[in-house]
Amino acid sequence: MLEFVQTMDLPALLLFLGNIICIVVVVFIERKHPSSAWAWMFVLIFLPVIGFLTYALLGRRLRKKHLYRFSGGQHTGLLQLIEEQKDALQHDAFTFKDDAAAQHNKLLYMQLAYNGAVITQNNDVTIFTDGRQKFEQLLRDLKNAKHHIHMQYYIFRHDELGQRILQVLEEKAKEGVEVRFLYDAIGSNRLFKKHMHPLAEAGGLSEVFFPSIFPLINPRLNFRNHRKIVVIDGGIGYVGGFNVGNEYLGVEEKYGYWRDTHTRIEGSAVHALQTRFLVDWNMASKEHRVTYDDCYYPTIEREGSTAVQIVSSGPDDEHDALKYSYVKMIVSAKRYVYIQSPYFVPDETVFEAVRMASLCGVEVRLMIPAVPDHKIVYAATMSYMEDLLKAGVHIDLYDGGFMHAKTIVIDDEVATCGTTNFDVRSFKLNFEVNAFLFDTEKAIDMRRIYERDLQVSKPLTMEAYKKRSFRKRTQESLARLISPIL
């Protein structure tokens, strides 16, 4: 080894030492999960230049000391309400409007105790699966705003749809409505400060989440705010899979029809979305941070019937809240589990939960796109299919466009819709948020949406899977090796 090192020139020696340091950090200092550690070591050893640069940008953890401010923003009375609801659930004293919710008090308790996800039961929920319908309703709600608009998207394009929304925000700001607009620096990397000047001149505010130092150089590249939240006047909220861009209207030839799922909520659950937005906003903003004010949490007069919990997670989440919620839903199912996700790159816990549910006789269906948008991630996804098929899981390949929905529904009792994909990135690295609906009617609606999508899907059979080319098999094997860091 010494002779090998002595033969190196200075650049090669520095690169070699850098790789060794990275490996030491991965194995001994940061103590990543073994699967993640092996994946990084594979990249560092076999791709020394690319691996070193990739680890510098993507591999480092986000230090917890930088995330303490994320836990702020809780308004008066929230902690007391959480304790009261926990006590009621523990003693079977919680009064549910729908028996479906009562069947899942353990899931409710976990999300309440470890994520602060208060339970509200006066919500009206509308489920959108079509981008045109979702954005037309959103634009109507924005135009009717009276006090404030809080908007947050991972991807916001300055195309026809994006400009329509920004124009409404500018008009409302001129009317005196408080407008706060938060977007992710990487997801919205083509949205520039100059695009925000008209909004600023109208009196609106905008902020960038984890901004880049230079174009394409971001020290926190791996930790993105993948949330999509809109709150209007504290009483109307949106959360789901749709970003903002023409492709989400199904007008881009590359993707064809864009199949996604999004929820519009009216009721007290909007307060949880409000808190989530304000915490993210205060983290991103240095000059325009918001303190608690009753005007952002108005009394909700509406008497809906859907029980909702808003659950969020991210690298600041000690308990991997959304992963735990997904696993709990899957293992709680008695009749069926229907999952829709554009990506399926799970960790071992999630993967075994899906397989185990099927092996226990539960009907488990997984719908993924028939055509990928990210080839490496799709190759990793396909590498898991054989084991799922052997366990009896039904794999449905959506062929009616591009499937981007992130949903689970079980037993006509519980459904979730949000921003969280079935992959390690969503569970560990991204900042995500989901709405959990404990309502028989809404769960049936979600099940019927899945069944409707089956009409434009094709089953993946073991026979067809085994006919893959040698090239595809090789790509999938390599992608599987690095799947924990995709």
Side-chain angles (χ1 to χ4, degrees), residues 322-378:
L322 281 163
K323 185 185 86 168
Y324 290 179
S325 296
Y326 277 17
V327 170
K328 180 59 178 173
M329 280 186 70
I330 292 165
V331 300
S332 296
K334 297 179 177 63
R335 294 190 293 115
Y336 76 84
V337 180
Y338 290 173
I339 301 166
Q340 291 181 313
S341 178
Y343 319 113
F344 187 84
V345 190
D347 65 7
E348 187 175 355
T349 303
V350 178
F351 185 55
E352 292 304 324
V354 174
R355 293 178 70 240
M356 184 174 64
S358 182
L359 291 169
C360 289
V362 175
E363 181 192 4
V364 180
R365 305 196 76 102
L366 168 65
M367 186 174 291
I368 58 176
V371 179
D373 63 335
H374 298 295
K375 291 185 178 181
I376 296 178
V377 180
Y378 195 74

XYZ file of all heavy atoms in Angstrom, residues 322-378:
464
model
N -43.605 9.512 8.859
C -44.432 9.061 7.742
C -44.122 7.616 7.352
O -45.021 6.880 6.944
C -44.274 10.006 6.555
C -45.095 11.294 6.715
C -44.626 12.388 5.779
C -46.584 11.009 6.504
N -42.887 7.206 7.482
C -42.578 5.787 7.235
C -43.307 4.907 8.238
O -43.924 3.896 7.867
C -41.073 5.541 7.324
C -40.698 4.104 6.957
C -39.226 3.823 7.149
C -38.922 3.406 8.566
N -37.552 2.861 8.700
N -43.274 5.290 9.508
C -43.974 4.518 10.531
C -45.472 4.452 10.233
O -46.118 3.414 10.413
C -43.764 5.135 11.916
C -42.369 5.013 12.470
C -42.047 5.552 13.714
C -41.355 4.359 11.776
C -40.767 5.451 14.238
C -40.077 4.247 12.290
C -39.779 4.800 13.521
O -38.518 4.704 14.034
N -46.026 5.578 9.780
C -47.459 5.616 9.475
C -47.798 4.689 8.318
O -48.803 3.966 8.353
C -47.882 7.045 9.142
O -47.717 7.896 10.259
N -46.965 4.703 7.282
C -47.191 3.806 6.151
C -47.141 2.346 6.602
O -48.002 1.530 6.238
C -46.127 4.046 5.076
C -46.409 5.200 4.127
C -47.341 6.182 4.431
C -45.729 5.294 2.913
C -47.587 7.236 3.565
C -45.974 6.338 2.030
C -46.895 7.299 2.360
O -47.146 8.341 1.488
N -46.131 2.011 7.389
C -45.977 0.630 7.849
C -47.165 0.223 8.717
O -47.719 -0.881 8.560
C -44.658 0.457 8.626
C -44.605 -0.900 9.319
C -43.470 0.610 7.688
N -47.584 1.104 9.610
C -48.711 0.781 10.493
C -49.986 0.557 9.692
O -50.757 -0.370 9.985
C -48.901 1.908 11.519
C -50.055 1.685 12.494
C -49.896 0.406 13.305
C -51.033 0.243 14.302
N -50.977 -1.073 14.981
N -50.232 1.384 8.683
C -51.415 1.176 7.835
C -51.355 -0.188 7.162
O -52.343 -0.937 7.155
C -51.494 2.268 6.771
C -52.058 3.590 7.234
S -52.276 4.764 5.859
C -53.646 4.002 4.961
N -50.210 -0.521 6.604
C -50.079 -1.765 5.838
C -50.290 -2.983 6.722
O -51.029 -3.907 6.370
C -48.695 -1.815 5.155
C -48.611 -0.733 4.066
C -48.430 -3.191 4.554
C -47.210 -0.466 3.583
N -49.661 -2.997 7.896
C -49.770 -4.180 8.758
C -51.120 -4.241 9.474
O -51.491 -5.290 10.008
C -48.612 -4.239 9.783
C -47.271 -4.305 9.066
C -48.656 -3.054 10.738
N -51.859 -3.124 9.486
C -53.186 -3.114 10.119
C -54.278 -3.620 9.179
O -55.380 -3.945 9.629
C -53.547 -1.698 10.586
O -52.666 -1.246 11.584
N -53.994 -3.667 7.890
C -55.016 -4.044 6.914
C -55.451 -5.494 7.113
O -54.629 -6.382 7.352
C -54.479 -3.842 5.504
N -56.747 -5.716 6.972
C -57.306 -7.061 7.100
C -57.817 -7.598 5.771
O -57.844 -8.816 5.548
C -58.437 -7.059 8.127
C -58.000 -6.691 9.538
C -59.188 -6.687 10.483
C -58.748 -6.379 11.921
N -58.148 -5.028 12.035
N -58.231 -6.686 4.863
C -58.791 -7.141 3.584
C -57.934 -6.723 2.396
O -57.620 -7.538 1.545
C -60.213 -6.589 3.412
C -61.201 -7.154 4.423
C -62.620 -6.780 4.069
N -62.887 -5.342 4.196
C -63.193 -4.536 3.188
N -63.242 -5.017 1.956
N -63.442 -3.255 3.390
N -57.569 -5.453 2.331
C -56.796 -5.022 1.173
C -55.927 -3.817 1.505
O -56.208 -3.051 2.429
C -57.718 -4.701 -0.021
C -58.462 -3.383 0.088
C -57.855 -2.179 -0.305
C -59.774 -3.328 0.553
C -58.531 -0.978 -0.222
C -60.461 -2.133 0.631
C -59.824 -0.951 0.245
O -60.501 0.245 0.330
N -54.844 -3.676 0.729
C -53.976 -2.504 0.739
C -53.746 -2.109 -0.715
O -53.228 -2.922 -1.490
C -52.599 -2.779 1.393
C -51.736 -1.518 1.371
C -52.751 -3.300 2.801
N -54.136 -0.882 -1.083
C -53.878 -0.376 -2.428
C -52.891 0.793 -2.319
O -53.162 1.770 -1.605
C -55.160 0.096 -3.095
C -56.142 -1.004 -3.467
C -57.404 -0.693 -3.956
C -55.808 -2.362 -3.329
C -58.307 -1.689 -4.310
C -56.709 -3.355 -3.671
C -57.958 -3.021 -4.168
O -58.846 -4.009 -4.504
N -51.774 0.676 -3.014
C -50.711 1.675 -2.957
C -50.475 2.236 -4.349
O -50.373 1.481 -5.320
C -49.395 1.053 -2.441
C -49.579 0.452 -1.048
C -48.256 2.076 -2.440
C -48.431 -0.454 -0.620
N -50.359 3.553 -4.448
C -49.955 4.204 -5.689
C -48.742 5.084 -5.409
O -48.757 5.884 -4.472
C -51.090 5.053 -6.268
C -52.248 4.217 -6.795
C -53.372 5.064 -7.385
O -53.808 6.041 -6.778
N -53.837 4.688 -8.558
N -47.701 4.920 -6.220
C -46.487 5.710 -6.039
C -45.688 5.699 -7.337
O -45.585 4.663 -7.988
C -45.632 5.134 -4.906
O -44.428 5.874 -4.750
N -45.112 6.838 -7.719
C -44.283 6.849 -8.926
C -42.962 6.120 -8.740
O -42.338 5.702 -9.711
C -44.067 8.339 -9.192
C -44.200 8.984 -7.852
C -45.231 8.173 -7.121
N -42.530 5.984 -7.481
C -41.259 5.337 -7.177
C -41.480 4.348 -6.028
O -42.211 4.634 -5.087
C -40.193 6.361 -6.771
C -40.222 7.614 -7.612
C -40.587 8.836 -7.057
C -39.923 7.565 -8.972
C -40.654 9.984 -7.824
C -39.983 8.712 -9.752
C -40.348 9.920 -9.172
O -40.423 11.052 -9.946
N -40.823 3.192 -6.124
C -40.904 2.212 -5.051
C -39.485 1.734 -4.767
O -38.985 0.782 -5.380
C -41.806 1.037 -5.449
C -42.059 0.061 -4.328
C -43.069 0.297 -3.410
C -41.285 -1.083 -4.184
C -43.304 -0.593 -2.368
C -41.504 -1.980 -3.154
C -42.522 -1.737 -2.240
N -38.805 2.454 -3.877
C -37.436 2.118 -3.483
C -37.408 2.124 -1.961
O -36.839 3.019 -1.328
C -36.418 3.117 -4.068
C -34.989 2.619 -3.853
C -36.662 3.353 -5.554
N -38.031 1.119 -1.328
C -38.225 1.147 0.128
C -37.003 0.670 0.889
O -36.104 0.033 0.330
C -39.381 0.164 0.310
C -39.145 -0.853 -0.767
C -38.602 -0.082 -1.944
N -36.989 0.977 2.180
C -35.995 0.343 3.031
C -36.538 -1.027 3.442
O -37.654 -1.421 3.062
C -35.637 1.211 4.231
C -36.808 1.421 5.197
O -37.870 0.779 5.018
O -36.659 2.221 6.132
N -35.759 -1.770 4.207
C -36.122 -3.147 4.528
C -37.420 -3.242 5.318
O -38.242 -4.134 5.085
C -34.985 -3.808 5.320
C -35.187 -5.286 5.573
C -34.003 -5.935 6.258
O -32.977 -5.240 6.454
O -34.096 -7.126 6.603
N -37.633 -2.285 6.231
C -38.837 -2.327 7.068
C -40.098 -2.209 6.228
O -41.049 -3.001 6.375
C -38.802 -1.190 8.110
O -37.622 -1.305 8.897
C -40.018 -1.257 9.015
N -40.124 -1.240 5.347
C -41.302 -1.026 4.506
C -41.494 -2.196 3.552
O -42.618 -2.684 3.352
C -41.162 0.295 3.731
C -42.356 0.508 2.810
C -41.023 1.473 4.697
N -40.400 -2.654 2.949
C -40.477 -3.751 1.990
C -41.045 -5.008 2.638
O -41.940 -5.666 2.080
C -39.070 -4.019 1.438
C -39.019 -5.046 0.348
C -39.806 -4.918 -0.786
C -38.167 -6.142 0.443
C -39.760 -5.852 -1.803
C -38.110 -7.083 -0.568
C -38.905 -6.943 -1.703
N -40.570 -5.325 3.828
C -41.058 -6.528 4.511
C -42.498 -6.366 4.956
O -43.260 -7.345 4.981
C -40.150 -6.858 5.699
C -38.746 -7.308 5.318
C -38.755 -8.502 4.383
O -39.627 -9.382 4.528
O -37.896 -8.558 3.477
N -42.914 -5.158 5.298
C -44.305 -4.934 5.686
C -45.239 -5.226 4.520
O -46.300 -5.857 4.683
C -44.490 -3.501 6.181
N -44.866 -4.778 3.327
C -45.683 -5.023 2.134
C -45.752 -6.512 1.842
O -46.838 -7.069 1.588
C -45.112 -4.251 0.926
C -45.862 -4.626 -0.350
C -45.187 -2.748 1.165
N -44.608 -7.184 1.862
C -44.584 -8.618 1.577
C -45.362 -9.403 2.636
O -46.113 -10.329 2.324
C -43.140 -9.120 1.515
C -42.355 -8.575 0.342
C -40.917 -9.050 0.342
N -40.832 -10.467 0.042
C -40.314 -11.387 0.855
N -39.833 -11.018 2.031
N -40.264 -12.654 0.499
N -45.179 -9.032 3.881
C -45.835 -9.757 4.971
C -47.350 -9.636 4.881
O -48.076 -10.608 5.102
C -45.345 -9.253 6.325
C -45.906 -10.031 7.510
S -45.167 -9.509 9.070
C -45.726 -7.811 9.170
N -47.835 -8.445 4.550
C -49.282 -8.261 4.426
C -49.847 -9.197 3.369
O -50.891 -9.840 3.574
C -49.596 -6.799 4.075
N -49.154 -9.308 2.237
C -49.621 -10.195 1.175
C -49.551 -11.654 1.596
O -50.477 -12.440 1.342
C -48.784 -9.967 -0.088
O -49.247 -10.777 -1.149
N -48.480 -12.034 2.263
C -48.324 -13.414 2.708
C -49.367 -13.801 3.753
O -49.666 -14.986 3.931
C -46.914 -13.620 3.273
C -45.778 -13.563 2.245
C -44.421 -13.519 2.945
C -45.845 -14.764 1.297
N -49.927 -12.783 4.431
C -50.974 -13.043 5.432
C -52.365 -13.160 4.802
O -53.355 -13.325 5.514
C -50.982 -11.932 6.475
S -49.567 -11.958 7.593
N -52.434 -13.060 3.475
C -53.712 -13.219 2.800
C -54.428 -11.927 2.483
O -55.548 -11.943 1.943
N -53.803 -10.782 2.800
C -54.382 -9.483 2.454
C -54.133 -9.219 0.973
O -53.048 -9.513 0.454
C -53.752 -8.362 3.311
C -54.251 -6.988 2.881
C -54.049 -8.607 4.789
N -55.130 -8.701 0.280
C -54.941 -8.330 -1.126
C -54.087 -7.062 -1.184
O -54.537 -5.990 -0.783
C -56.273 -8.073 -1.830
C -56.094 -7.701 -3.300
C -57.368 -7.169 -3.942
O -58.385 -7.012 -3.217
O -57.349 -6.883 -5.152
N -52.879 -7.185 -1.665
C -51.965 -6.046 -1.761
C -51.756 -5.717 -3.238
O -51.345 -6.577 -4.021
C -50.607 -6.339 -1.095
C -49.687 -5.128 -1.220
C -50.804 -6.703 0.375
N -52.039 -4.468 -3.596
C -51.835 -4.000 -4.969
C -50.916 -2.785 -4.932
O -51.087 -1.897 -4.092
C -53.144 -3.635 -5.651
C -54.199 -4.715 -5.662
C -55.296 -4.427 -6.679
N -54.810 -4.714 -8.023
C -55.131 -5.828 -8.712
N -55.925 -6.730 -8.168
N -54.665 -6.013 -9.920
N -49.969 -2.761 -5.851
C -49.053 -1.635 -6.002
C -49.126 -1.143 -7.435
O -48.892 -1.908 -8.368
C -47.611 -2.065 -5.671
C -46.501 -1.078 -6.052
C -46.620 0.219 -5.253
C -45.128 -1.716 -5.851
N -49.447 0.137 -7.598
C -49.500 0.730 -8.932
C -48.340 1.705 -9.103
O -48.159 2.626 -8.307
C -50.826 1.461 -9.166
C -51.000 1.980 -10.597
S -52.643 2.690 -10.887
C -53.681 1.224 -10.815
N -47.551 1.462 -10.144
C -46.433 2.327 -10.493
C -46.562 2.692 -11.967
O -47.351 2.069 -12.688
C -45.068 1.635 -10.233
C -44.964 0.336 -11.026
C -44.876 1.376 -8.752
C -43.621 -0.359 -10.919
N -45.811 3.678 -12.459
C -45.921 4.043 -13.876
C -45.424 2.919 -14.780
O -44.502 2.179 -14.432
C -45.021 5.285 -14.004
C -44.786 5.758 -12.604
C -44.877 4.561 -11.738
N -46.020 2.811 -15.969
C -45.515 1.876 -16.969
C -44.273 2.433 -17.636
O -43.420 1.688 -18.113
C -46.597 1.587 -18.019
N -44.162 3.786 -17.668
C -43.020 4.457 -18.283
C -42.394 5.371 -17.237
O -43.102 6.146 -16.582
C -43.452 5.283 -19.522
C -42.253 5.991 -20.140
C -44.126 4.372 -20.551
N -41.064 5.318 -17.078
C -40.422 6.098 -16.003
C -40.166 7.540 -16.396
O -40.144 7.885 -17.581
C -39.087 5.363 -15.827
C -38.765 4.841 -17.195
C -40.089 4.450 -17.789
N -39.953 8.384 -15.372
C -39.433 9.735 -15.616
C -37.970 9.819 -15.188
O -37.221 10.650 -15.690
C -40.277 10.794 -14.905
C -40.257 10.660 -13.393
O -40.016 9.543 -12.905
O -40.500 11.666 -12.708
N -37.550 8.967 -14.235
C -36.149 8.895 -13.817
C -35.686 7.453 -13.994
O -36.077 6.570 -13.229
C -35.986 9.332 -12.355
C -36.401 10.752 -12.103
N -35.746 11.825 -12.655
C -37.419 11.258 -11.363
C -36.333 12.946 -12.259
N -37.354 12.627 -11.482
N -34.835 7.197 -14.981
C -34.510 5.826 -15.372
C -33.778 5.057 -14.282
O -34.041 3.868 -14.081
C -33.700 5.843 -16.665
C -34.513 6.281 -17.869
C -33.716 6.175 -19.162
C -34.569 6.570 -20.358
N -33.821 6.467 -21.649
N -32.847 5.702 -13.572
C -32.104 4.989 -12.533
C -33.037 4.580 -11.396
O -32.997 3.449 -10.907
C -30.943 5.849 -12.008
C -29.918 6.105 -13.119
C -30.267 5.169 -10.819
C -28.758 6.989 -12.691
N -33.894 5.524 -10.978
C -34.838 5.228 -9.892
C -35.813 4.141 -10.331
O -36.166 3.251 -9.545
C -35.588 6.504 -9.468
C -36.566 6.191 -8.348
C -34.608 7.578 -9.008
N -36.245 4.197 -11.581
C -37.186 3.181 -12.084
C -36.520 1.810 -12.143
O -37.144 0.793 -11.826
C -37.686 3.576 -13.468
C -38.915 2.802 -13.910
C -40.164 3.076 -13.358
C -38.827 1.807 -14.875
C -41.292 2.387 -13.757
C -39.955 1.103 -15.286
C -41.185 1.395 -14.722
O -42.308 0.694 -15.121
